[in-house]
Amino acid sequence: MADYHFVYKDVEGTSTQWDDIQRKLGNLPEKAPAFKPPAYTPAQDEASAPKDKAWFDGKTEEELEDLEDDKDLDDDRFLEDYRKKRLSELREAAKVRRYGSVTPISSSDFVREVTQASAEVWVIVCLYKDGIAECGLLLGCLEELASRYPGTKFVKIISTDCIPNYPDCNLPTLLVYHHGAVKGTHVGLKSVGRRCTPESVALVLCQSEPVLNDGKSGDDDSSREAVMAGVRRQFIERVVKDHEDKDNDDDGYNSD
């Protein structure tokens, strides 16, 4: 007679109440953990994978030339992110480079170009008159500083257009504006040092406030410290160069 005996097996990982009691008593080994298959991860298609800088760096010159004609690459996320980042960089650079020279203004421009503009940046106003040697000397220094620190706005205006009957003996005069108010006044060439150089003017302007901004430093304090360190270095280099030039001139004179 056939043996119809069979052993019933439940779903793997399940347990009976009897087995649980026996495990608590130590009569059965601990239940094995239920089998869990690893999560499915589809193989990534290289063509559809997002491109990054390393991906482009690994391409040869010929491969990069071929990519220029690849229409599918136009929709790639990397290029879209790159365009956005580059546009942001260009906008920031444009903000910094919107100055860089000494701009002449008239009395009708003063409120817009100085008072209102100083709400965002430091503005240096030079009161001057043509034909006065001291004014020409200071304006030359300001032009150099304007190119070094494009984050600061430099303007010049004829003195009597700005302040009627302003005495010529006070020229040149520098007015420092910020947040719509005068933060500093420097009257006459002697106010910027015994020798009027871009470095001496910068030291006077930044003595107590972060007036000069190169557009690269972060907060005002770090900007001022960077400017002061750079100005001192340039000042020392200029002094050393002047002494070397003088020594060379003396040597040439003695040899004659």
Side-chain angles (χ1 to χ4, degrees), residues 195-256:
R195 298 179 60 191
C196 183
T197 64
E199 291 74 27
S200 66
V201 177
L203 286 172
V204 170
L205 291 175
C206 290
Q207 198 65 42
S208 58
E209 299 284 358
V211 176
L212 300 180
N213 183 1
D214 58 6
K216 300 176 183 178
S217 305
D219 55 82
D220 288 344
D221 289 337
S222 62
S223 175
R224 178 176 175 272
E225 290 173 2
V227 168
M228 294 294 282
V231 167
R232 290 191 183 99
R233 183 179 64 254
Q234 292 162 357
F235 185 82
I236 293 172
E237 290 173 355
R238 184 185 291 271
V239 171
V240 171
K241 185 178 182 301
D242 289 345
H243 277 282
E244 289 177 348
D245 292 342
K246 183 179 179 181
D247 292 340
N248 291 334
D249 291 341
D250 291 341
D251 291 342
Y253 176 80
N254 293 332
S255 62
D256 293 340

Side-chain angles (χ1 to χ4, degrees), residues 105 109-121 123 125 153 155 177-182:
I105 63 171
D109 304 325
F110 196 91
V111 173
R112 181 184 70 255
E113 297 292 338
V114 178
T115 308
Q116 294 177 354
S118 66
E120 298 180 358
V121 297
V123 182
V125 183
K153 185 173 184 179
V155 300
Y177 274 78
H178 196 45
H179 294 310
V182 178

Side-chain angles (χ1 to χ4, degrees), residues 56-209:
F56 280 92
D57 291 341
K59 297 297 181 182
T60 64
E61 184 176 352
E62 292 77 10
E63 290 173 332
L64 289 174
E65 289 179 356
D66 294 337
L67 287 174
E68 291 181 358
D69 301 325
D70 190 349
K71 296 181 180 179
D72 294 335
L73 201 62
D74 291 341
D75 297 330
D76 193 87
R77 285 178 294 174
F78 169 76
L79 290 184
E80 183 63 24
D81 292 342
Y82 178 81
R83 291 190 186 101
K84 290 180 180 178
K85 181 180 178 182
R86 183 58 180 157
L87 184 60
S88 176
E89 290 174 350
L90 290 174
R91 286 174 177 168
E92 290 300 320
K95 288 180 182 179
V96 173
R97 297 304 307 180
R98 60 181 168 179
Y99 307 121
S101 62
V102 181
T103 305
I105 63 171
S106 62
S107 57
S108 59
D109 304 325
F110 196 91
V111 173
R112 181 184 70 255
E113 297 292 338
V114 178
T115 308
Q116 294 177 354
S118 66
E120 298 180 358
V121 297
W122 288 88
V123 182
I124 310 299
V125 183
C126 180
L127 307 184
Y128 79 105
K129 268 190 179 179
D130 291 326
I132 298 179
E134 290 84 353
C135 293
L137 181 59
L138 180 59
L139 285 172
C141 295
L142 294 181
E143 285 287 357
E144 187 169 336
L145 291 178
S147 64
R148 288 186 199 170
Y149 306 103
T152 298
K153 185 173 184 179
F154 289 80
V155 300
K156 63 179 180 180
I157 182 173
I158 295 176
S159 58
T160 49
D161 286 351
C162 181
I163 305 173
N165 302 319
Y166 191 75
D168 291 352
C169 61
N170 289 343
L171 299 180
T173 295
L174 291 180
L175 305 177
V176 182
Y177 274 78
H178 196 45
H179 294 310
V182 178
K183 299 296 183 179
T185 303
H186 307 282
V187 179
L189 202 61
K190 291 182 179 180
S191 64
V192 295
R194 292 181 300 173
R195 298 179 60 191
C196 183
T197 64
E199 291 74 27
S200 66
V201 177
L203 286 172
V204 170
L205 291 175
C206 290
Q207 198 65 42
S208 58
E209 299 284 358

Side-chain angles (χ1 to χ4, degrees), residues 17-29:
Q17 187 176 10
W18 173 256
D19 289 342
D20 292 340
I21 294 173
Q22 294 302 314
R23 286 192 179 90
K24 288 182 179 180
L25 296 174
N27 297 328
L28 288 177

